[in-house]
Amino acid sequence: MSNDPVDPAVTRHALDLEWLDRSIAGLRQAAPEMSAHRVLSQGQQIVVVALVLLVVGAAILDLILALQILVAVATLWYAATLVYRLVLVRRGLRGKELIRISDADALAVRASELPIYSVLIPAYREPDVIAKIIDSVSALDYPADKLDVRLLLEADDAETIAAARAGVAATISPSISIVLVPPADPRTKPKACNFGLQSATGDLVTIFDAEDRPEPLQLRRAVVALDRLGDGYACVQARLGYFNATQNLITRWFTIEYGTWFRFMLPGLVSLGAPIPLGGTSNHFRTGLLRALEAWDPYNVTEDADLGIRLARLGYSVGVLDSITEEEANSDFVNWIKQRSRWYKGYFQTWLVHMRRPVAVHRELGWRGALGLHLFVLGTPLTALMNPVFWALAIAWYLKEPEGVALLFPPAVYYFALACFMIGNAAVIYVNLLTTRVINKPTLLGAALLVPGYWVMMSVAAVKAAYQLVFNPSYWEKTSHGLDLAPSSGLVVVKA
Amino acid sequence: MRNASMTLPRHVPEPGTSSGGGRRPRTREPLLLFGAAAAVYLLAGAVMIHFNIVFNDGLSRVGNAYYVLFSRDPHLGAIGFVWNPLPSLSVLPLLPLKSLFPALVTHGAAGVIQSALSMAGAVAVLSSCLRKLGVRRKPRWILVALFGLQPMIVFYAGIGMSEAMLLLFLMLTTSALISWMQHREPGQLVAAGIVLGLAYLARYEAGALAVAVTALVAAVTVLSASGRPADRLSLAFNDAVLVAAPFLFTFFLWAGVAKVLIGMWFPQFSSQYGNSEQVSKGAEGIQGATGTGLLEVSGYLARQSLALAPLLAVLLLVTVVLMIRRRNPLPLVPIVVCGSVSAFSGLVLLMGASFGWFRFQIAVIPLTVLLAGALIGMLFPQTADRKVGSIDPRDGRGAPIVATGAVLLAVALAIPVQARVMVDPTLNIAREEAPTLGSLFYPDRPTSDPRLLQTFGAEQKIAAWIDREDPGEGTVLADSAYAYPIIMNSAEPQQFVITSDYDFQSRLEDPHEQGIEYILVQADRSADAVQIRWPTIFADGAGLGNLVTSWDTPQGEWRLYAVD
């Protein structure tokens, strides 16, 4: 492995332990409080213990009252997350926050004026899709001599390395190199990306997943956008969509969800001045700044979302770029649960990391931004976690009207909770109907109406995420790709 | 411990380069119009209360809200399920002020505030509709005034019923749909959809409105979207679902809540108090006014429409011709929105399921004004001001002024005609309004009846009588569907055991054992829950007790029985 034929220089450096060390420990050393190396800080441990004691103590003193208060707090929480989301949709709907760079403007920049662009492509045990990303990168409308494409492979992943070498040898593009990441824990995508970032030569840098199909003008649009937006913007995030939207019901739901996320939620957050949880791919950074910020947290399993919050806390803005990268929507139930549970766990991690200094965070983000951190970053997985409890209560109440349920809801809370339940569920389905129209995929309407089934899947993932957060916080649930391929090509077998 | 974020480079924006995008300048015109109209309408409402012009339907909606807060069993379900809840829900926040302003409840002034503010909202939104249709400021303001000052508009702004709210929702729907026709942004369908959903909670006519609007939206998308026919159909279906979904939600929600709480899906139609029941009881009187058979009833509807908007047909014809010639579909919006409600009301009357009140055709008033606006907008598109407040150098040119003036006059003609119809009961067109208003303005005419100007005078006396007796909480049994003016005029509303109380049925079954001291019943109220259980109670007390006293009212005699 030390004699990689494609780029010996990179491989030589790749063995440099200093790079590896910085990839793993850079953020932890520069800003220990920003790293998810530990799930809870000492202060947070005390708060958690105190909260548990408080609830247990209250339950012993007066069980009914304690439960009533918990139900009332949960109801308020539901109402707040619902209202916040609807505000985001309303603001996102205006479409003013999407950064639109016309084809003409994107193409107007002369090749000689374009900056060097590094493209990091982390891949692990996905030999079957590696050829595709080489095709997609080759399709980018960007001068080859200004492209610095790096396939980031784990040094002990022989299968993928072999596929990548074959793919690179077969392409005429001279700008693709293979970077072998020395085996070391944590085995996470952010660590690989950090490692790749060390040797990247570009002024700008972006990440694509191996199965991504970025829109060919995306890099040019990002160049123009970052130039126009100025130094206050650390990043532009392109929209993500799916190329296998109609493969099955799960991919339909996933497509609608991404449509809502990138078309309403993120632009809405931009409009509110709230931090943007970045998506895992197609975020375009200024390389120097990203290095100075110690890039991705290798201990956070949603390092992208975490980086978005860190950028906001440090005063940088993120724009949402109107350019689509098509990804493969997870079409398999088990695989989907794994991926989603990782995201939810990462969101929990991210919220906990940034809540180590609550006062500082609120000062840095402002109240609207902090609301975003709570209601969006924590709200997304927490609501999914709470839902089964309240669905069960609602079903029990509808079927049997048990006395116990009635006791939990004093009249004022009852009416409020009932209104939240009816209006909230209807409003969320309605937003899905709106999404299918806005992303111009009206054939997904049926899936949009069936979306409560998707919520059940989310809740399963949330339970798994909460369990893992406690027992295995930095464990990376690997998502298989290539499940959209024809059966003849075989399914990817993944042992995470 | 060091502040972590200090070690990472922080972005410090240069002074004066804050990234807050420039706020769009907001026009204050709608707010000013709303304020001015609200002042006029609140004044009108106060004058009407002063002359004791209070209509049952307005007062009873306030009553429904009143029971939610002040009955023996305060609960939201007490709002009742026969009538749409929004007019009652909207006055809930005002009712706790009744100790400061008793008239809020006793004279239904809370409802008057509701209708005045709703109508003021309708005026403001109408103005923005006219602006979107391309009517520049001067004619727009004249049109808005010609709408807002029509006698029917002022009357229903001040009376405390739900007509104003209906018009507000019609205007909001029109406004959203005009924007959608112009820009085709799905968000505007969402706006229209939410308004339709709310409208159903205000008036059942909104059902027809929702169907018509959904059809319009689907048709426009099918005809104008690009792509293969199948794609256009699925886009149209998505648009239709988007605009109809909130209405379907409130429709099923309202039906479901009624089913859960009182065991009927659609009590407005099926219950003893529902519309069908009332109409069938009033059939003779209704047919006496409207005639019978398709021809006579259509003729009656045409007379009503002529009285509300004399030149509607002319304006409609000219607008449609121009719309087709200019290939400008915008006027379709008010035609579909206002027309659907009006057509529905007419249809129900033809089917013999409506009272055929004058106010049921009120939607033709904004229709006329919007058609006039569309006409002016199409005739002189170049004079449409893009920005509110810009000065058009072409102001004062000859031909446009004459034509615009003619259109405005066509609208203005409604004012004297309405005024005449609304005070003359012999015309038999404004059958609710004319007897009262006629008695007020022309007390010497033979049709005038001073009792009409003492609305609920007897009920106030009954309330005072019971208050003096002070029988205590939960002792007076009455059906609030009829006794509402008495309950609302009583200083101790919790004396009454009313239909929405949890123990109403058990107390009704055995008044004597259950601590009931008095039973209140009114003549000819066959839907009265008390009289249904004890059919002879009005006549002879049904063996439950003895007649204590009685009061005569225009609506029928009240009798108070003391339980043995």
Side-chain angles (χ1 to χ4, degrees):
Chain A
M1 267 169 277
S2 55
N3 53 352
D4 191 294
V6 179
D7 190 348
V10 169
T11 322
R12 193 177 62 242
H13 282 102
L15 290 171
D16 190 331
L17 284 178
E18 199 183 310
W19 282 8
L20 185 61
D21 185 53
R22 194 174 176 195
S23 308
I24 297 172
L27 179 65
R28 206 170 93 203
Q29 284 161 2
E33 307 217 354
M34 295 266 198
S35 160
H37 180 233
R38 298 176 65 187
V39 176
L40 297 175
S41 69
Q42 208 167 21
Q44 286 177 316
Q45 287 172 354
I46 295 171
V47 170
V48 168
V49 171
L51 273 178
V52 170
L53 286 180
L54 183 73
V55 171
V56 171
I60 291 170
L61 284 176
D62 188 340
L63 181 63
I64 299 296
L65 184 65
L67 289 174
Q68 281 182 345
I69 291 172
L70 280 180
V71 164
V73 170
T75 304
L76 277 178
W77 168 262
Y78 270 118
T81 50
L82 175 68
V83 169
Y84 194 77
R85 260 153 212 269
L86 294 181
V87 168
L88 293 182
V89 171
R90 194 179 143 66
R91 286 178 166 252
L93 196 50
R94 292 191 208 138
K96 287 182 187 162
E97 314 300 336
L98 268 183
I99 297 158
R100 294 193 167 92
I101 307 292
S102 68
D103 292 7
D105 286 359
L107 290 166
V109 186
R110 274 182 303 184
S112 58
E113 290 166 7
L114 286 169
I116 306 268
Y117 219 118
S118 290
V119 177
L120 306 181
I121 303 165
Y124 184 47
R125 296 189 180 177
E126 31 201 350
D128 287 5
V129 283
I130 210 90
K132 293 188 146 195
I133 185 65
I134 293 175
D135 287 348
S136 298
V137 168
S138 307
L140 287 172
D141 185 333
Y142 210 82
D145 60 326
K146 296 273 176 112
L147 266 182
D148 165 40
V149 180
R150 285 159 190 269
L151 294 170
L152 312 178
L153 311 178
E154 297 288 324
D156 55 2
D157 181 9
E159 255 185 316
T160 315
I161 294 171
R165 284 188 178 146
V168 172
T171 178
I172 47 161
S173 171
S175 53
I176 303 180
S177 55
I178 296 175
V179 176
L180 297 183
V181 184
D185 279 334
R187 287 286 184 115
T188 59
K189 174 177 160 189
K191 188 200 70 183
C193 290
N194 283 344
F195 192 81
L197 182 66
Q198 312 283 328
S199 58
T201 56
D203 303 306
L204 300 180
V205 60
T206 188
I207 296 181
F208 291 124
D209 279 345
E211 88 284 9
D212 282 1
R213 298 179 193 169
E215 181 240 349
L217 279 178
Q218 190 173 106
L219 299 191
R220 280 178 164 271
R221 291 191 216 274
V223 167
V224 176
L226 281 168
D227 183 53
R228 284 189 193 164
L229 292 167
D231 288 342
Y233 279 77
C235 171
V236 288
Q237 162 81 57
R239 292 164 59 191
L240 305 182
Y242 290 124
F243 52 73
N244 58 334
T246 54
Q247 189 184 341
N248 63 25
L249 187 56
I250 296 180
T251 65
R252 284 169 211 264
W253 280 336
F254 214 158
T255 304
I256 297 169
E257 184 189 21
Y258 255 34
T260 308
W261 190 265
F262 286 99
R263 188 57 188 72
F264 297 139
M265 297 299 162
L266 296 194
L269 289 170
V270 170
S271 153
L272 281 178
I276 310 298
L278 296 173
T281 93
S282 310
N283 22 49
H284 302 260
F285 300 93
R286 303 178 198 279
T287 312
L289 178 63
L290 186 61
R291 283 202 191 109
L293 297 175
E294 296 298 340
W296 297 278
D297 180 354
Y299 294 98
N300 191 314
V301 296
T302 50
E303 75 294 343
D304 35 24
D306 171 70
L307 179 55
I309 314 294
R310 196 186 323 143
L311 291 176
R313 287 184 62 186
L314 294 168
Y316 298 95
S317 302
V318 172
V320 180
L321 183 65
D322 192 16
S323 163
I324 284 205
T325 297
E326 295 205 307
E327 295 190 282
E328 180 198 339
N330 219 320
S331 56
D332 175 71
F333 178 78
V334 172
N335 206 24
W336 185 95
I337 295 284
K338 281 186 179 177
Q339 182 186 44
R340 184 55 54 108
S341 71
R342 172 170 68 77
W343 291 357
Y344 283 171
K345 182 171 75 176
Y347 272 39
F348 280 129
Q349 275 186 322
T350 301
W351 184 78
L352 288 170
V353 163
H354 292 285
M355 282 303 285
R356 287 175 188 171
R357 302 199 132 219
V359 177
V361 163
H362 283 80
R363 197 184 53 236
E364 287 162 344
L365 295 179
W367 68 270
R368 286 177 172 189
L371 266 185
L373 180 64
H374 304 316
L375 297 177
F376 203 70
V377 176
L378 175 64
T380 303
L382 186 60
T383 308
L385 191 61
M386 287 160 57
N387 279 340
V389 178
F390 285 87
W391 290 332
L393 286 178
I395 292 170
W397 182 241
Y398 181 76
L399 293 179
K400 293 221 142 167
E401 303 204 4
E403 277 295 311
V405 177
L407 276 176
L408 297 181
F409 291 86
V413 178
Y414 174 71
Y415 283 121
F416 193 61
L418 194 65
C420 271
F421 184 76
M422 305 293 290
I423 296 172
N425 286 314
V428 177
I429 293 176
Y430 191 55
V431 169
N432 284 310
L433 303 177
L434 176 61
T435 302
T436 61
R437 183 62 182 88
V438 169
I439 64 175
N440 221 2
K441 293 200 162 126
T443 49
L444 299 181
L445 199 64
L449 287 167
L450 294 175
V451 81
Y454 195 55
W455 302 343
V456 174
M457 289 169 60
M458 288 176 169
S459 291
V460 174
V463 172
K464 183 168 155 62
Y467 177 83
Q468 268 197 12
L469 179 71
V470 177
F471 295 104
N472 206 354
S474 290
Y475 172 72
W476 185 284
E477 287 276 8
K478 180 75 177 80
T479 313
S480 312
H481 292 297
L483 299 181
D484 67 313
L485 302 176
S488 58
S489 63
L491 291 185
V492 185
V493 179
V494 172
K495 285 170 283 177
Chain B
M1 212 196 254
R2 279 183 311 168
N3 187 344
S5 28
M6 294 298 285
T7 60
L8 301 175
R10 183 175 283 277
H11 175 68
V12 184
E14 287 168 40
T17 58
S18 95
S19 56
R23 285 195 175 185
R24 63 185 166 148
R26 288 208 171 194
T27 164
R28 265 185 296 172
E29 186 188 274
L31 204 63
L32 287 175
L33 269 176
F34 175 81
V40 171
Y41 295 150
L42 286 170
L43 184 68
V47 169
M48 283 157 74
I49 287 178
H50 172 77
F51 286 108
N52 226 338
I53 299 173
V54 180
F55 276 18
N56 310 0
D57 281 356
L59 192 71
S60 68
R61 286 318 172 276
V62 177
N64 286 346
Y66 188 56
Y67 314 139
V68 170
L69 297 178
F70 295 99
S71 68
R72 287 171 53 244
D73 289 320
H75 64 290
L76 200 54
I79 207 156
F81 294 92
V82 172
W83 299 112
N84 317 58
L86 203 53
S88 297
L89 280 176
S90 64
V91 300
L92 271 181
L94 292 170
L95 296 187
L97 300 174
K98 70 149 186 164
S99 48
L100 293 175
F101 307 102
L104 283 176
V105 174
T106 57
H107 290 76
V112 171
I113 293 173
Q114 174 271 114
S115 65
L117 296 185
S118 295
M119 197 65 95
V123 166
V125 181
L126 173 75
S127 172
S128 89
C129 290
L130 291 171
R131 186 161 47 81
K132 291 176 192 172
L133 288 171
V135 187
R136 64 198 162 82
R137 190 167 56 177
K138 254 189 236 165
R140 184 170 76 238
W141 284 15
I142 296 174
L143 269 177
V144 168
L146 286 180
F147 169 81
L149 296 176
Q150 294 195 23
M152 273 298 274
I153 296 298
V154 178
F155 187 82
Y156 281 99
I159 196 70
M161 290 159 66
S162 57
E163 265 63 27
M165 209 176 241
L166 174 67
L167 290 186
L168 170 63
F169 288 136
L170 290 182
M171 292 305 96
L172 286 169
T173 308
T174 306
S175 173
L177 284 180
I178 292 178
S179 290
W180 179 72
M181 297 277 253
Q182 288 171 331
H183 306 292
R184 292 300 170 81
E185 287 167 10
Q188 286 142 353
L189 289 182
V190 172
I194 291 173
V195 173
L196 292 176
L198 287 173
Y200 182 70
L201 295 179
R203 287 285 286 251
Y204 295 120
E205 286 95 323
L209 173 67
V211 171
V213 166
T214 305
L216 173 73
V217 166
V220 168
T221 302
V222 165
L223 293 176
S224 63
S226 54
R228 294 175 301 138
D231 294 341
R232 300 199 325 225
L233 272 179
S234 61
L235 277 179
F237 186 61
N238 202 154
D239 279 345
V241 168
L242 209 49
V243 80
F247 161 73
L248 292 173
F249 173 70
T250 51
F251 178 84
F252 287 111
L253 181 71
W254 185 232
V257 170
K259 176 71 183 166
V260 168
L261 292 185
I262 63 169
M264 274 184 263
W265 291 106
F266 297 103
Q268 66 268 35
F269 303 123
S270 52
S271 96
Q272 72 210 44
Y273 310 104
N275 187 61
S276 338
E277 191 67 23
Q278 290 192 18
V279 170
S280 64
K281 261 181 287 169
E284 207 173 304
I286 297 169
Q287 285 165 9
T290 64
T292 51
L294 187 65
L295 224 58
E296 283 186 23
V297 178
S298 305
Y300 182 73
L301 282 168
R303 286 207 301 285
Q304 281 190 327
S305 170
L306 272 176
L308 283 168
L311 291 182
L312 171 64
V314 178
L315 283 170
L316 190 62
L317 191 72
V318 178
T319 312
V320 168
V321 168
L322 210 60
M323 180 178 95
I324 294 168
R325 285 183 53 183
R326 299 274 169 97
R327 300 187 161 277
N328 176 354
L330 279 188
L332 272 179
V333 173
I335 292 174
V336 167
V337 169
C338 298
S340 64
V341 169
S342 188
F344 175 79
S345 301
L347 194 68
V348 192
L349 180 64
L350 283 170
M351 287 161 50
S354 162
F355 283 96
W357 299 133
F358 195 39
R359 60 187 161 100
F360 289 170
Q361 290 296 327
I362 198 167
V364 303
I365 297 178
L367 176 58
T368 314
V369 176
L370 286 164
L371 287 177
L375 208 51
I376 295 173
M378 283 193 291
L379 284 172
F380 316 111
Q382 76 281 6
T383 56
D385 53 358
R386 302 192 175 282
K387 221 179 92 199
V388 177
S390 68
I391 294 163
D392 195 294
R394 279 170 294 247
D395 263 19
R397 278 218 201 148
I401 287 207
V402 172
T404 306
V407 174
L408 295 178
L409 266 181
V411 176
L413 192 59
I415 292 179
V417 177
Q418 277 174 26
R420 169 88 173 75
V421 168
M422 286 175 71
V423 296
D424 189 348
T426 58
L427 295 173
N428 234 349
I429 289 176
R431 285 159 26 233
E432 285 177 298
E433 303 84 357
T436 306
L437 291 177
S439 305
L440 178 69
F441 287 105
Y442 306 101
D444 301 330
R445 281 188 186 167
T447 50
S448 296
D449 180 354
R451 290 197 311 173
L452 290 173
L453 296 175
Q454 291 152 23
T455 328
F456 305 126
E459 281 81 357
Q460 286 161 13
K461 282 181 205 145
I462 301 171
W465 191 94
I466 295 174
D467 284 355
R468 270 197 309 278
E469 292 295 309
D470 193 17
E473 191 187 315
T475 53
V476 185
L477 187 68
D479 187 333
S480 46
Y482 305 108
Y484 61 91
I486 302 172
I487 301 163
M488 293 167 79
N489 275 291
S490 165
E492 304 286 342
Q494 302 196 344
Q495 289 171 137
F496 298 90
V497 177
I498 59 172
T499 357
S500 60
D501 287 347
Y502 296 132
D503 57 2
F504 178 79
Q505 272 308 323
S506 66
R507 297 208 176 201
L508 175 64
E509 285 304 318
D510 196 348
H512 178 76
E513 284 298 310
Q514 298 278 325
I516 297 296
E517 297 193 14
Y518 294 105
I519 298 177
L520 249 176
V521 281
Q522 193 173 21
D524 303 323
R525 295 298 197 189
S526 56
D528 181 342
V530 180
Q531 299 188 53
I532 288 175
R533 174 64 188 85
W534 306 103
T536 62
I537 186 162
F538 181 83
D540 61 12
L544 295 173
N546 302 312
L547 183 66
V548 181
T549 177
S550 69
W551 297 268
D552 204 22
T553 81
Q555 285 82 30
E557 181 189 350
W558 278 105
R559 288 187 176 175
L560 185 75
Y561 284 91
V563 176
D564 294 328

